Amino acid sequence: MTSTAALAADSAGAPLKPTTIERRALRDEDVRIDVKFAGICHSDIHQVREEWGTAIFPMVPGHEIAGVVSEVGSGVTSYQVGDRVGVGCMVDSCGECDFCRSGEEQYCDKGAVMTYNGLGYDGEPTLGGYSQEVVVSDRFVLRIPDGLGLDVAAPLLCAGITTYSPLKRWGAGPGKKVAVIGMGGLGHMAVQIADKLGAEVSVLSRTMAKQEQGAELGADHYYATSDADTLKSLRNSFDLIINTVSADLEMDRYVALLRPLGALVNVGLPSNPYQVTPGGLVGEGRTLAGSNIGGIPQTQEMLDFCAEHGIGAVIETISADQVDEAYDRVVDSDVRYRFVIDTATIAAG
Ligand code: NAP
Ligand code: ZN
């Protein structure tokens, strides 16, 4: 075991406080990573505040991890000390079921082990990336291409793959009209990726406040959903809608924006149910779907795609003592567009 400085919440809704945690002794297939940056995902806030049901405390959040390999186990052949790497939302899976074998570990039959607020197959609680060091099985380590800064790459490990995966699955590309609901951490990645995939991209934000930046990121159109007439005028417009909203949403209003046979894919995870009128789906043969992060091979594909197209997250780098304030700002949608913690600022508690 080795000790490392981390930020932990002791109970639901508690502030993130500096602490010292233990990382397991290196197993043969393990990679030790010197964490440089950790992104703040809205899922961190949902879990620290127990908005998804009972959580495990103390909690060290963080599943957008970027750093440098500092040690490898005796069985590791694909990574070396000094490699630039990342870790996303998963740290283990059975490796044997149909889903693991096809690189969709997030749908593992046995249940993938989440990077934090989970239990490893050894029964130990998992602790995430708001920390100076992580130890992770090499199967769940990603390579960060040289062209990508570690700070702007960190958010790709969740926000990037969570939007890349449904955009690819539902065929975003030339000739396709794609809309993104919510221009936050996930949304601003969806806009960039859909644009580089060749789709015609629209942002559906509550106001026009982020229009200029939306255009810079690749949006062809930008609409304010607070304007009922605007939404009405967009009926039957899109082949694919990615919903990244973290709060309740009137789903019927957005389903109505799909062209016949179009799909609205939810990646946002508010705690309340959505209400959907069957006729709005049936009449035009529309699909209402969901998507959970993405598998490890596709995460590597996404990182390579982002490097090739010069895509990174738009970030605001913060220190450890600013995390609580950053959480409030994310909930207030006062983030442009991802907070990233400089983990060197975490003092051992
Ligand atoms: P975020 O940065 O807070 O972005 C969410 C965006 O939703 C905001 O920027 C805002 O966009 C919009 N929004 C917020 N409150 C709203 C409201 N009351 N009504 C309408 N729109 C509202 O959050 P994020 O990190 O991108 O995460 C978004 C959601 O995805 C969270 O629920 C998170 O847990 C979930 N998530 C899911 C997965 C997955 O695998 N499916 C992975 C990661 C995250 P505008 O200001 O532009 O309106
Ligand atoms: Zn996330």
Side-chain angles (χ1 to χ4, degrees), residues 46-169:
H46 288 310
Q47 290 175 90
V48 165
R49 298 185 177 176
E50 250 184 5
E51 291 168 357
W52 291 345
T54 309
I56 303 169
F57 294 97
M59 185 189 296
V60 177
H63 58 208
E64 294 186 336
I65 303 168
V68 177
V69 174
S70 59
E71 194 182 352
V72 294
S74 58
V76 175
T77 53
S78 39
Y79 294 100
Q80 293 180 345
V81 172
D83 284 353
R84 302 164 79 252
V85 293
V87 178
C89 299
M90 297 179 283
V91 289
D92 208 356
S93 72
C94 83
E96 290 165 5
C97 70
D98 290 350
F99 298 100
C100 286
R101 277 209 293 247
S102 60
E104 299 277 13
E105 298 87 348
Q106 72 278 29
Y107 304 123
C108 171
D109 281 346
K110 191 173 169 185
V113 176
M114 295 292 114
T115 304
Y116 70 89
N117 191 24
L119 287 180
Y121 294 152
D122 58 4
E124 292 295 319
T126 53
L127 299 171
Y130 295 8
S131 113
Q132 290 181 339
E133 189 176 287
V134 290
V135 172
V136 180
S137 160
D138 60 354
R139 286 174 48 222
F140 290 86
V141 176
L142 285 308
R143 194 171 288 285
I144 296 182
D146 283 341
L148 279 173
L150 290 179
D151 52 357
V152 299
L156 303 181
L157 277 302
C158 176
I161 183 61
T162 300
T163 49
Y164 183 84
S165 189
L167 286 167
K168 290 286 284 194
R169 180 173 166 197

Side-chain angles (χ1 to χ4, degrees), residues 6 20 125 148 170 187 246 251 255 315:
T20 301
L148 279 173
W170 275 275
S246 50
M251 196 52 66
V255 166
I315 60 167

Side-chain angles (χ1 to χ4, degrees), residues 7-63:
L7 288 176
D10 285 335
S11 58
L16 276 296
K17 285 197 310 208
T19 186
T20 301
I21 58 167
E22 301 294 324
R23 294 297 187 188
R24 67 175 180 244
L26 227 57
R27 298 171 184 159
D28 289 352
E29 72 287 2
D30 275 348
V31 175
R32 188 188 305 283
I33 301 167
D34 183 4
V35 179
K36 300 293 187 194
F37 297 99
I40 293 179
C41 177
H42 206 120
S43 301
D44 301 348
I45 303 169
H46 288 310
Q47 290 175 90
V48 165
R49 298 185 177 176
E50 250 184 5
E51 291 168 357
W52 291 345
T54 309
I56 303 169
F57 294 97
M59 185 189 296
V60 177
H63 58 208

